[in-house]
Amino acid sequence: MGLKPLLEMRFPVQGNDFIQAGEASSRIKRTLQQIGMESSLVRRAAIASYEAEMNIVIHAYHGELVLTIWPNLIEIVAADVGPGISDVALAMQEGYSTAPESVRQMGFGAGMGLPNMQKCADELLVETKVGEGTRVVIKINL
Amino acid sequence: MTLAELVRRLDLTILTSLPEGDVEVTRGYVSDLLSDVLGKASEGAIWVTLQSHPNVIAVASLLNLSAVIIVGGIIPDDATLERAREASVPVLSTQLPAFEIVGRLYQLGIRGNVDSCVDG
């Protein structure tokens, strides 16, 4: 796009690690606050990052969140090595989830992760390959 | 109403310390689904839930919630409380079930709302 990123940071996320879960998105939130981003943008980015991070923790083996600040937008890419999503349209539907029962008991797997990301993002892209992994791109305009 | 006053009026047990200075609480949210809270609870709200694992603290901290009230006399494990102290999230406990504590919060003037994350 001809523009140079102002900042790029990478945060690893481990699948099935419910103790560290939330750490990457909390660091993304802190970073955005530190650079003086408007609070409503921080909130949207934090919610979308957390949902993306939890999807990796719940469904994938491992992955990372990459925060890139462009002059005109905040971009968060959540890329994982994992099972992929066989039906993205279905996964986008509120209430649909493939999360296991143990995870649901913790209050995850309500089928609201991708819909929440959609609400917070100006643009949401989901690229996935079954058996390989998923890449979610969240864009929030500045 | 301030958080300290809510604690006193509702006889809540403080499991991690309250912040210094007065925190005004006007909004509340009740849910045990984390994504539901993420999508709908407003900034500064007090959150009523029976969940007590560390991820509750992550959500409360991300949303800048004023406190978490864990219902039914459930006491969270040390990992949760430690995370709460690190993130300065006040964790409160009540013996009452969710319906009852929410009713009492409402009586004290705390209200819910229908914010989505976009306009919240």
Side-chain angles (χ1 to χ4, degrees):
Chain A
M1 64 171 95
L3 297 169
K4 279 195 184 143
L6 306 174
L7 177 90
E8 187 181 280
M9 291 176 85
R10 315 177 86 86
F11 307 95
V13 180
Q14 197 54 46
N16 209 28
D17 182 351
F18 285 89
I19 300 299
Q20 283 303 308
E23 191 55 38
S25 33
S26 133
R27 286 170 67 193
I28 286 177
K29 180 190 171 190
R30 219 174 307 141
T31 303
L32 294 175
Q33 278 173 330
Q34 278 164 359
I35 60 175
M37 219 39 106
E38 194 194 313
S39 69
S40 66
L41 293 176
V42 174
R43 181 181 165 90
R44 287 165 58 198
I47 293 170
S49 311
Y50 183 79
E51 293 287 15
E53 181 177 1
M54 289 319 300
N55 273 355
I56 297 176
V57 174
I58 295 167
H59 298 285
Y61 311 124
H62 60 87
E64 64 172 359
L65 297 192
V66 182
L67 167 70
T68 312
I69 316 243
W70 299 91
N72 58 339
L73 60 88
I74 302 170
E75 182 186 67
I76 297 147
V77 176
D80 70 53
V81 175
I85 304 171
S86 56
D87 188 336
V88 174
L90 200 54
M92 292 298 300
Q93 271 181 31
E94 198 153 323
Y96 179 82
S97 174
T98 58
E101 181 55 31
S102 58
V103 168
R104 288 175 197 252
Q105 280 177 3
M106 295 171 77
F108 295 111
M112 296 172 75
L114 281 166
N116 267 353
M117 284 180 233
Q118 180 102 67
K119 281 182 209 157
C120 290
D122 289 300
E123 196 182 337
L124 179 73
L125 303 168
V126 181
E127 297 160 8
T128 185
K129 205 158 187 190
V130 172
E132 289 184 18
T134 301
R135 187 170 177 272
V136 174
V137 182
I138 297 153
K139 291 181 182 178
I140 297 173
N141 296 333
L142 294 179
Chain B
M1 181 160 295
T2 66
L3 185 57
E5 206 177 341
L6 279 179
V7 167
R8 194 171 50 77
R9 299 270 296 259
L10 298 175
D11 196 21
L12 302 171
T13 305
I14 302 171
L15 300 179
T16 64
S17 56
L18 297 183
E20 286 174 31
D22 287 346
V23 176
E24 194 66 24
V25 183
T26 58
R27 298 286 180 186
Y29 200 75
V30 53
S31 181
D32 302 321
L33 295 177
L34 305 196
S35 281
D36 180 44
V37 177
L38 275 170
K40 305 218 178 87
S42 48
E43 178 143 0
I46 193 161
W47 174 19
V48 176
T49 183
L50 56 68
Q51 298 288 357
S52 63
H53 51 80
N55 299 276
V56 167
I57 306 304
V59 169
S61 169
L62 277 177
L63 295 176
N64 300 329
L65 301 184
S66 53
V68 180
I69 301 179
I70 300 178
V71 300
I74 297 167
I75 301 294
D77 57 22
D78 289 345
T80 303
L81 295 177
E82 195 183 319
R83 177 82 74 95
R85 283 184 207 104
E86 279 166 18
S88 304
V89 173
V91 178
L92 310 167
S93 147
T94 178
Q95 295 294 327
L96 297 172
F99 183 90
E100 204 52 43
I101 196 73
V102 169
R104 293 179 194 196
L105 285 165
Y106 201 92
Q107 276 184 329
L108 293 175
I110 310 301
R111 295 290 179 268
N113 67 11
V114 287
D115 279 359
S116 74
C117 61
V118 175
D119 52 28

